[in-house]
């Protein structure tokens, strides 16, 4: 028996130091063992002990002891398992099973895989010597000392040749700057790009949360692209879109298709199909079928325009909204349209420019520019600058008309209660007696005040320093109109759907729709104080 043991030791020692370099047969080579034993009771297994070393192509495997089943090309090794490849990957454990047909090493007990600053631990790690693919299926933890990060998942794959990690099921990635929760993701260590293939949440410093169904994140540039009902939350503000691109360093991004921007604290929501945003100063630009909804009061405001800019001023804790081109808005008590509009929460002013028109009950009010003053979230006063014109529709032929250089209107519960005309006031008015029209009154005055009844119809006109007045029969002047008379009632938005209709240029009775902004109508300088305050004199 001693002779037999010595014979096999000599034969395998020769094989150890003089093995063939031909790897086409895909056989693992035994490089060294301190001792070798053969026992037929172990299915023709060779028992190797002491500093055992195998080699497959450019990968080396070390262990304390091993059983080599040559017929089935299987190795079972124990103690101080180490697998090293030429790319610096180190796989360690206490137990190994090698399947030579599949070229797969299964390492268990105290297992970890290391490469530079990265370390992967798992109950069991499988490593394919041909594809250089490491994998685990019973949970694993990946740590990176260079970035002080930790990743856990139930399933993981690591392509050691091109440095790609693929993780699946219950993924948690903790980084000093953010935490990622995902269902499926891949990370490429060379490019530092992480790609998401399933539902994913990214939380930045417990302030910003990102959701997506798929996308990628570049950990170097901090760029990310999110798709599949993408969402970004920060404080009370929310951005949603079919896809979002975003940079964490600049806090700037873009959202595409089915976009929604909402500030729940301000109770403001804007939808559209494209948005640019900057979360540093909480500014947004939204366009393409946009609709703004302000639900902060019972009278919900709906507004549409070609484009809208919304910004939050943290110093004043207020919002500034700018809407441009084909602007229409609707509330239950008031509607309007204009080319551009500015809403400033800081001074409670709404400024309308370029052919602005307001509608309240049966009244149409317009001028070169309009400023609306809100109080307690309700319209309190409206100021009409230059070429101010009030038209009240009585029936299909009769219109009360009041014109002046400037006007101011007082509101209560959304209805006009009093109006003041300053300078060059003119009127065409149909007075009544016992509910019957008695004629048409034409008058002019330096100033005048108008009182309205509960239905917002003209109840009384008080002329201050009147110039002239003439009462004519109705039959003779049914179609009499003041200069600048234009009707916009058919363009009045009655609901949200009407906000998206704009055909002013198709109507010959709408006057000049391309008026330039007056010099005193700049959105940043317009001040309601340029019109005299409303007076109570009758």
């Amino acid at each position: 028996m001693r002779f037999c043991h010595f014979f096999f030791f000599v034969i395998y020692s020769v094989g150890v130091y003089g093995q063939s370099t031909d790897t086409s047969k895909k056989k693992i080579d035994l490089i060294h063992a301190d001792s070798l034993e053969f026992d037929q009771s172990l299915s023709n297994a060779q028992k190797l002990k002491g500093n055992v070393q195998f080699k497959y192509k450019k990968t080396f495997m070390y262990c304390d002891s091993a059983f080599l089943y040559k017929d089935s090309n299987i190795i079972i090794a124990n103690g101080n398992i180490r697998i090293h490849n030429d790319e610096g990957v180190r796989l360690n454990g206490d137990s190994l099973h090698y399947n030579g047909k599949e070229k797969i090493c299964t390492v268990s007990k105290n297992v970890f895989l290391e490469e530079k600053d990265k370390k992967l631990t798992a109950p069991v790690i499988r490593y394919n010597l041909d594809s250089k693919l490491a994998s685990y299926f019973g949970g694993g933890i990946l740590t990176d000392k260079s970035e002080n990060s930790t990743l856990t998942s139930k399933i993981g794959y690591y392509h050691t040749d091109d440095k790609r990690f693929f993780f699946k099921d219950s993924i948690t990635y903790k980084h000093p700057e953010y935490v990622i929760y995902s269902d499926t993701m891949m990370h490429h260590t060379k490019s530092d790009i992480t790609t998401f293939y399933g539902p994913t949440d990214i939380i930045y410093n417990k302030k910003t949360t990102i959701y997506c169904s798929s996308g990628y994140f570049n950990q170097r540039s901090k760029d990310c692209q999110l798709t599949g009902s993408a969402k970004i939350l920060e404080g009370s503000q929310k951005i949603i879109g079919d896809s979002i691109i975003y940079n964490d360093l600049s806090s700037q991004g873009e959202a595409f298709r089915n976009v929604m921007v909402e500030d729940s604290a301000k109770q403001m929501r804007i939808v559209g199909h494209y948005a640019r945003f900057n979360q540093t100063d909480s500014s947004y630009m939204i366009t393409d079928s946009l609709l703004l909804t302000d639900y902060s009061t019972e009278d919900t405001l709906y507004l549409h325009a070609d484009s809208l800019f919304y910004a939050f001023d943290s110093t004043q804790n207020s919002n500034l909204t700018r809407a441009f081109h084909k602007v229409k808005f609707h509330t239950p008590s008031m509607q309007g349209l204009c080319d551009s509009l500015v809403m400033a929460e800081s001074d409670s002013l709404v400024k309308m420019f370029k052919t602005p028109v307001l509608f309240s009950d049966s009244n149409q009010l317009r001028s070169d520019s309009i400023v609306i003053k809100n109080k307690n979230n309700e319209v309190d006063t409206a100021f009409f600058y230059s070429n101010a014109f009030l038209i009240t529709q009585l029936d299909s032929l009769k219109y009360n008309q009041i014109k002046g250089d400037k006007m101011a209107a007082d509101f209560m519960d959304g209805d006009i209660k009093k109006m003041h005309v300053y300078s060059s006031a003119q009127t065409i008015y149909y007075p009544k007696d016992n509910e019957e029209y008695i004629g048409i009154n034409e008058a002019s005055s330096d100033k005048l005040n108008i009182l309205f009844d509960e239905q917002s119809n003209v109840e009384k006109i008080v002329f201050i320093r009147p110039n002239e007045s003439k009462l004519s029969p109705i039959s003779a002047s049914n179609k009499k109109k003041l200069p600048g008379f234009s009707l916009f009632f058919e363009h009045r938005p009655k609901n949200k759907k009407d906000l998206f209709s704009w055909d002013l240029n198709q109507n010959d009775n709408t006057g000049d729709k391309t008026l330039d902004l007056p010099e005193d109508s700049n959105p940043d300088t317009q001040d309601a104080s340029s019109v005299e305050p409303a007076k109570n004199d009758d």
Side-chain angles (χ1 to χ4, degrees):
M1 185 66 183
R2 182 177 300 175
F3 173 80
C4 181
H5 178 274
F6 176 77
F7 174 78
F8 279 106
F9 180 77
V10 170
I11 293 298
Y12 276 90
S13 295
V14 172
V16 166
Y17 297 102
Q19 77 278 11
S20 171
T21 59
D22 180 13
T23 60
S24 62
K25 297 180 180 180
K26 296 184 179 180
K27 292 284 186 178
I28 192 167
D29 295 321
L30 173 63
I31 302 300
H32 178 80
D34 289 347
S35 66
L36 180 149
E37 297 178 1
F38 174 77
D39 191 340
Q40 290 184 339
S41 65
L42 296 175
S43 302
N44 294 320
Q46 290 104 40
K47 185 176 181 181
L48 311 173
K49 289 184 177 181
N51 299 308
V52 181
Q53 181 179 347
F54 295 94
K55 180 183 178 184
Y56 181 80
K57 295 182 180 180
K58 295 182 180 181
T59 300
F60 292 85
M61 186 194 78
Y62 308 90
C63 62
D64 290 343
S65 63
F67 288 94
L68 172 60
Y69 297 85
K70 189 175 180 181
D71 293 341
S72 58
N73 200 13
I74 291 175
I75 297 174
I76 297 176
N78 291 284
N80 199 22
I81 306 296
R82 290 158 291 150
I83 299 176
H84 299 174
N85 71 12
D86 60 323
E87 296 171 339
V89 177
R90 304 288 184 264
L91 176 58
N92 298 266
D94 289 335
S95 179
L96 174 142
H97 181 281
Y98 172 71
N99 185 324
K101 293 181 180 179
E102 298 179 354
K103 302 299 182 289
I104 292 178
C105 298
T106 302
V107 183
S108 58
K109 298 179 182 178
N110 302 314
V111 185
F112 63 92
L113 182 150
E114 288 183 309
E115 183 183 22
K116 295 182 179 179
D117 293 324
K118 293 179 173 58
K119 182 177 182 180
L120 172 65
T121 59
V124 178
I125 294 179
R126 300 177 66 190
Y127 184 67
N128 189 304
L129 299 182
D130 270 344
S131 65
K132 297 183 179 181
L133 173 65
S135 58
Y136 61 88
F137 301 92
I141 302 173
L142 175 66
T143 58
D144 190 331
K145 293 180 181 178
S146 63
E147 58 182 29
N148 193 26
S149 65
T150 302
L151 184 146
T152 61
S153 68
K154 290 186 177 180
I155 299 172
Y157 301 88
Y158 178 38
H159 298 267
T160 62
D161 53 349
D162 61 1
K163 311 306 178 188
R164 286 183 297 123
F165 282 97
F166 185 86
F167 305 100
K168 174 72 177 174
D169 197 353
S170 306
I171 301 165
T172 300
Y173 179 43
K174 294 183 178 181
H175 186 277
E177 298 176 1
Y178 49 84
V179 178
I180 298 176
Y181 301 96
S182 183
D183 173 76
T184 308
M185 63 181 268
M186 182 191 72
H187 178 70
H188 198 293
T189 60
K190 289 182 178 179
S191 63
D192 252 353
I193 293 177
T194 301
T195 305
F196 310 112
Y197 297 98
T200 301
D201 300 348
I202 306 174
I203 302 174
Y204 289 96
N205 296 325
K206 299 181 179 180
K207 294 191 302 182
T208 302
T209 302
I210 294 176
Y211 301 91
C212 67
S213 296
S214 59
Y216 75 85
F217 175 52
N218 188 321
Q219 291 179 265
R220 296 177 186 172
S221 65
K222 306 303 180 184
D223 289 320
C224 64
Q225 179 171 319
L226 318 167
T227 57
S229 301
K231 186 187 305 182
I232 300 178
L233 307 177
E234 183 171 1
S236 63
Q237 298 178 353
K238 173 169 57 179
I239 306 168
I240 296 176
D242 286 356
S243 62
I244 296 176
I245 57 176
Y246 177 73
N247 182 273
D248 182 50
L249 295 177
S250 65
S251 296
Q252 297 181 16
E254 297 175 82
F256 306 87
R257 300 296 302 170
N258 298 311
V259 176
M260 183 180 78
V261 175
E262 184 170 23
D263 190 331
S264 58
K266 298 297 181 181
Q267 296 183 296
M268 178 88 73
R269 182 190 307 117
I270 309 167
V271 298
H273 287 305
Y274 175 75
R276 289 200 312 263
F277 59 92
N278 186 335
Q279 291 188 301
T280 301
D281 58 7
S282 299
S283 62
Y284 305 87
M285 189 286 291
I286 303 95
T287 187
D288 192 356
S289 307
L290 77 88
L291 177 67
L292 178 148
T293 304
D294 185 338
Y295 53 94
S296 59
T297 65
E298 292 183 0
D299 288 347
T300 301
L301 166 68
Y302 299 100
L303 182 145
H304 168 72
D306 283 352
S307 59
L308 185 141
F309 296 81
Y310 173 83
F312 178 72
D313 187 345
S314 59
T315 60
Q316 300 186 39
N317 192 31
S318 63
N319 298 329
L320 178 65
T321 304
R322 298 169 180 261
F324 293 95
H325 309 310
K326 300 181 180 179
V327 181
K328 279 189 174 183
F329 65 86
H330 177 278
T331 70
S333 58
M334 180 180 289
Q335 302 80 43
L337 56 90
C338 60
D339 181 74
S340 55
L341 176 147
V342 177
M343 293 190 294
E345 190 179 33
S346 59
D347 54 13
S348 301
L349 295 181
V350 178
K351 304 173 184 179
M352 304 170 62
F353 304 97
K354 213 167 185 181
T355 320
V357 184
L358 281 181
F359 304 96
S360 177
D361 294 308
S362 59
N363 301 298
Q364 171 191 294
L365 305 98
R366 62 174 296 220
S367 63
D368 288 353
S369 62
I370 299 173
V371 175
I372 302 171
K373 176 72 173 178
N374 291 313
K375 186 177 181 180
N376 299 325
N377 293 321
E378 292 185 349
V379 176
D380 181 65
T381 310
F383 303 94
F384 302 84
Y385 298 88
S386 189
N387 299 312
F389 209 124
L390 165 67
I391 297 175
T392 303
Q393 186 170 16
L394 304 176
D395 57 34
S396 59
L397 295 175
K398 300 182 187 67
Y399 300 91
N400 283 336
Q401 304 163 52
I402 300 173
K403 181 182 179 182
D405 234 3
K406 298 179 181 179
M407 291 184 185
D410 295 334
F411 289 78
M412 182 178 293
D413 297 328
D415 299 324
I416 300 178
K417 293 303 177 184
K418 186 181 292 187
M419 175 164 279
H420 314 271
V421 182
Y422 306 95
S423 182
S424 305
Q426 302 176 61
T427 67
I428 291 179
Y429 173 65
Y430 291 82
K432 276 184 176 183
D433 185 21
N434 294 326
E435 299 302 319
E436 297 241 347
Y437 294 110
I438 59 174
I440 179 168
N441 183 46
E442 299 177 65
S444 63
S445 176
D446 286 348
K447 298 180 181 180
L448 62 83
N449 293 335
I450 308 111
L451 301 179
F452 293 81
D453 60 20
E454 293 181 356
Q455 286 74 42
S456 294
N457 296 317
V458 175
E459 184 177 47
K460 181 180 180 182
I461 299 178
V462 178
F463 295 90
I464 303 171
R465 294 191 295 276
N467 296 324
E468 58 180 343
S469 177
K470 180 176 68 173
L471 182 66
S472 305
I474 293 179
S475 58
S477 305
N478 273 338
K479 296 183 179 180
K480 194 145 195 159
K481 297 179 178 64
L482 292 173
F485 179 95
S486 293
L487 293 179
F488 290 81
F489 285 107
E490 64 178 292
H491 304 287
R492 181 180 191 171
K494 301 178 180 64
N495 48 49
K496 286 192 291 186
K497 184 179 179 181
D498 287 348
L499 298 176
F500 294 87
S501 173
W502 187 275
D503 56 356
L504 291 178
N505 294 329
Q506 300 173 9
N507 191 327
D508 294 334
N509 193 33
T510 57
D512 184 6
K513 299 302 175 295
T514 58
L515 294 175
D516 292 330
L517 287 178
E519 292 183 1
D520 62 345
S521 298
N522 186 292
D524 295 320
T525 61
Q526 186 75 43
D527 189 346
S529 62
S530 60
V531 168
E532 296 180 38
K535 299 179 180 179
N536 294 321
D537 50 328
D538 294 331

